[in-house]
């Protein structure tokens, strides 16, 4: 694993922890999907921006939030008890 990959992994895990401290657990797969979709939509807004005008640090931040919410979904929803709600 490269240093850049390690740094990115650390940022994603930190964002996951921050989100879990500040927001309650997902109540259902539908709620988790909604949160994840919101983050993807925010990333999409950056992608649609003209390449020369993109805010690259902000776009990266959205990528980290997408990854963190995907991890949260896997942790909180992808089990037999919660995944069937």
């Amino acid at each position: 694993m490269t240093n850049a990959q390690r740094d990115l992994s650390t940022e994603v895990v930190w964002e996951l922890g921050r989100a879990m401290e500040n927001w309650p657990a997902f109540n259902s797969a539908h709620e988790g999907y909604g949160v994840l979709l919101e983050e993807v939509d925010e990333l999409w807004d950056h992608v649609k921006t003209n390449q020369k005008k993109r805010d690259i640090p902000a776009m990266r931040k959205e990528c980290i939030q997408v990854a963190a919410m995907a991890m949260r979904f896997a942790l909180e929803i992808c089990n037999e008890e919660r995944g069937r709600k």
Side-chain angles (χ1 to χ4, degrees), residues 2 8 11-12 18 20-21 25-26 28 30 32 34 41-42 45 49 56-58 62-64 67-69 72 82:
T2 67
L8 180 59
E11 289 181 68
V12 171
R18 188 192 67 75
M20 292 177 83
E21 286 178 11
F26 295 149
S28 66
H30 284 87
D41 283 345
E42 291 172 1
D45 288 341
T49 302
I56 299 298
E62 292 303 332
C63 290
I64 290 167
M69 291 306 97
R72 186 171 191 182
R82 308 263 342 267

Side-chain angles (χ1 to χ4, degrees), residues 13-25 69 72 76:
V13 171
W14 183 88
E15 179 64 25
L16 172 63
R18 188 192 67 75
M20 292 177 83
E21 286 178 11
N22 291 318
W23 301 99
M69 291 306 97
R72 186 171 191 182
E76 294 181 353

Side-chain angles (χ1 to χ4, degrees), residues 46 49-61:
H46 288 282
T49 302
N50 182 295
Q51 291 179 10
K52 295 180 185 206
K53 297 180 181 180
R54 280 188 188 144
D55 183 343
I56 299 298
M59 186 165 60
R60 186 177 192 278
K61 181 179 176 183

